[in-house]
């Protein structure tokens, strides 16, 4: 009998705090030892020249989520988790959307049925609270938090999702009582409606004007208001997908005042701009997401937010639709106005390579910051025990990275369900070459070797925001 199942030898181990040469030994799906010259294993993996990183945790993805009449999301749990694994991820956190009047447990039952036996990597759910009724706030939500559904999301925009300030306060109050953590999509719904109506009356209906209907002030105001409401209740919150300096500075000022406000940004705000929505015909629809991509100055501000720790989380906001499809970006109603273009872009597979290349390889952030932003902070923030780091006793969720490998992002090389990538043609330095879930390879040498269904649902503990 060998002492270990697998030993990863000669690699450079990177955590959120340390970088060092070591062998990593795995037994029964967990990291059993970290040391030197360990060879007593059933399999030896030579990681010479590679980085040994914790598998990525993407805590903001949309999978198989209803998106409106005649609109179909491009990824189910099989394709989304497959793509995530190829991108160096071992855990995703999609959303369970509550329909108006629907009991939360019924919504969860539906989502669990979609995910069960379909996932290549592990997952957990955030609850989207669209109908904060007395029954939901008083009974359902506290019981579900106790069962391990410890994070919620609420919206300040979108028809049928936007909550009033009164409703937001109600959700935040329950979060304070139960220890749940609330994510907030911060955009001013009434301002967006007003600007959208005005643009349409002027005939400005192309996808490019999606950005003009959601200017920076719309996001900044809602961010300030969300923070103010959280301060009234004295509860931590996460402001998701921040796209610009003004909103980032609202978060920074709140943090400096001692409030626990967690900031998150995404790849689209580092490498895309509003000009990408200028494409001829409906090409600009490929880049429609909310908040929209901004300008070069906003990109720089988001990098500053990552570098200074204002943003603790870097997520994809993967929300995929097919482009060449009337059930996706080319829905006939979308040609009548940007208002109807499905809102979201794919990105779960490209999140880590983009941040590694643009951040680590170009000297904007350190390797340790990369690990914190893409794995460790997600685990800590959302109560994932035993994940998000390379440490003895932790799950052996590991990504092996070649920091010198160069590649060009291309739809032809990706594995998601969409038929395009908004990051087409971006040159990348640094790429994951293998992904392990609990000590077993899911992706190795560019090939899928894991089995559908090996990914598990994971119950979470109290968030640590």
């Amino acid at each position: 009998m060998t002492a270990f199942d697998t030993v990863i030898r000669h690699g450079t181990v990177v955590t959120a705090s340390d970088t060092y040469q070591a062998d990593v030994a795995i037994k029964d799906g967990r990291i059993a030892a970290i040391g030197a010259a360990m060879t007593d294993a059933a399999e030896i993996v030579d990681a010479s020249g590679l980085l040994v990183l914790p598998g990525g945790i993407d805590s903001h993805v949309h999978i198989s989520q209803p998106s409106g009449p005649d609109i179909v999301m491009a990824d189910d749990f099989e394709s989304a988790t497959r793509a995530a694994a190829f991108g160096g991820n071992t855990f995703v956190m999609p959303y369970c959307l509550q329909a108006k009047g629907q009991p939360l447990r019924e919504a969860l039952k539906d989502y669990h049925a979609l995910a069960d036996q379909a996932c290549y990597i592990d997952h957990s759910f955030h609850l989207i609270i669209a109908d904060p009724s007395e029954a939901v706030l008083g009974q359902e939500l506290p019981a579900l938090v106790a069962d391990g559904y410890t994070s919620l999301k609420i919206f300040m925009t979108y028809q049928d999702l936007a909550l009033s300030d009164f409703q937001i306060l109600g959700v935040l109050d329950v979060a304070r009582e139960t220890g749940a953590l609330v994510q907030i999509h911060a955009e001013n719904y009434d301002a967006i409606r007003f600007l959208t109506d005005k643009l349409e009356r002027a005939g400005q209906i192309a996808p490019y004007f999606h950005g003009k209907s959601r200017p920076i002030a719309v996001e900044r105001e809602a961010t300030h208001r969300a923070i103010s409401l959280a301060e009234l209740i004295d509860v931590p919150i996460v402001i998701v997908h921040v796209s610009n300096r003004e909103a980032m500075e609202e978060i920074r000022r709140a943090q400096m005042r001692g409030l626990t406000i967690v900031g998150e940004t995404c790849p689209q705000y580092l490498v895309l701009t509003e000009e990408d929505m200028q494409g001829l015909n409906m090409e600009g629809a490929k880049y429609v997401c909310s908040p929209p991509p901004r300008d070069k100055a906003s990109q720089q501000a988001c990098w500053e937010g990552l570098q200074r720790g204002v943003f603790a989380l870097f997520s994809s906001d993967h929300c995929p639709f097919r482009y060449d499809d009337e059930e996706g970006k080319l829905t006939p109603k979308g040609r009548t106005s940007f208002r109807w273009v499905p809102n979201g872009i794919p990105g779960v597979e490209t999140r880590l390579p983009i941040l590694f290349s643009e951040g680590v390889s170009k000297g904007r952030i350190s390797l340790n910051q990369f690990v914190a932003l893409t794995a460790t902070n997600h685990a800590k923030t959302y109560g994932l025990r035993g994940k998000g780091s390379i440490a003895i006793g932790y799950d052996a969720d590991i990504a092996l990275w070649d920091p010198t490998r160069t590649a060009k992002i291309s739809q032809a090389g990706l594995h998601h369900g969409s038929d395009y990538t908004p990051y087409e043609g971006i040159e990348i330095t640094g790429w994951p070459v293998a992904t392990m879930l609990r000590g077993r390879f899911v992706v190795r040498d560019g090939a899928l070797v894991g089995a559908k269904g090996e990914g598990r649902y994971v119950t979470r503990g109290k968030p640590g925001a």
Side-chain angles (χ1 to χ4, degrees), residues 43 45 81-83 85-86 119-121 398 400 415 433-437 439-455:
E43 181 179 12
V45 177
T81 57
R82 179 181 65 233
F86 272 98
C119 296
Y120 289 96
I121 62 174
I398 295 170
L400 301 181
H415 303 84
V433 296
T435 305
M436 303 178 79
L437 177 69
R440 300 176 66 176
F441 282 102
V442 183
V443 173
R444 190 172 193 177
D445 299 326
L448 181 69
V449 296
K452 182 179 73 169
E454 289 185 351

Side-chain angles (χ1 to χ4, degrees), residues 8 32 49 59 85 89 93 106 119 132 210 228 256 299 329 344 371 416 433 462:
I8 301 171
S59 60
N89 298 282
M93 300 181 70
E106 179 182 298
C119 296
H210 169 79
S228 299
M256 291 178 67
Q299 289 180 352
K329 291 288 188 178
V371 169
H416 56 212
V433 296
K462 181 174 287 189

Side-chain angles (χ1 to χ4, degrees), residues 149-348:
Y149 299 94
T150 55
S151 55
L152 327 170
K153 185 179 183 181
I154 56 177
F155 289 81
M156 300 173 78
T157 189
Y158 297 135
Q159 185 176 355
D160 296 327
L161 285 176
L163 302 187
S164 67
D165 289 358
F166 182 86
Q167 291 173 314
I168 291 172
L169 288 166
V171 174
L172 294 176
D173 197 42
V174 173
R176 189 179 192 280
E177 292 172 358
T178 61
L181 181 61
V182 179
Q183 299 177 333
I184 300 183
H185 178 137
E187 289 183 293
N188 184 311
Y189 181 45
D190 284 337
I192 292 168
R193 290 170 59 202
F194 177 85
L195 293 171
T196 297
D197 288 347
K198 187 173 182 179
L199 288 163
E200 287 178 338
R201 287 196 300 270
Q204 296 175 321
I205 58 173
Y208 173 74
F209 294 101
H210 169 79
K212 298 304 181 184
S213 74
R214 288 167 154 79
I216 287 173
V218 162
E219 185 181 346
R220 179 203 55 76
E221 183 280 330
T223 301
H224 176 81
R225 182 157 43 99
I227 292 169
S228 299
L229 297 176
E231 186 175 11
L232 283 174
I233 302 299
D234 186 24
V235 66
I237 58 170
V238 181
I239 303 292
V240 293
H241 48 46
V242 178
S243 72
N244 61 83
R245 179 174 302 280
E246 288 83 343
M248 184 268 284
E249 292 290 354
E250 291 286 347
I251 297 170
R252 185 184 67 86
R253 283 192 291 271
Q255 292 169 343
M256 291 178 67
R257 289 192 291 116
L259 302 181
T260 305
I261 310 297
V262 179
E264 174 201 85
T265 195
C266 307
Q268 51 267 41
Y269 308 121
L270 302 183
V271 297
L272 302 180
T273 71
E274 60 185 356
E275 296 307 312
D276 289 305
M277 291 186 288
Q278 282 273 37
L280 295 174
N281 297 317
M282 290 294 289
E283 282 287 321
K286 292 180 178 180
Y287 305 91
V288 168
C289 59
S290 292
R294 305 294 185 184
D295 54 18
K296 294 291 186 181
S298 294
Q299 289 180 352
Q300 177 57 34
C302 289
W303 278 114
E304 290 177 23
L306 292 169
Q307 293 161 341
R308 295 159 63 184
V310 181
F311 300 142
L313 305 174
F314 185 75
S315 305
S316 69
D317 193 8
H318 179 72
C319 187
F321 299 95
R322 293 182 65 82
Y323 174 68
D324 192 15
D325 193 331
E326 289 192 353
E327 292 182 324
K329 291 288 188 178
L330 294 186
T331 177
K333 288 183 71 174
R335 295 184 182 277
T336 69
S337 173
F338 62 84
R339 180 200 296 261
W340 306 112
V341 174
N343 207 328
I345 58 176
V348 71

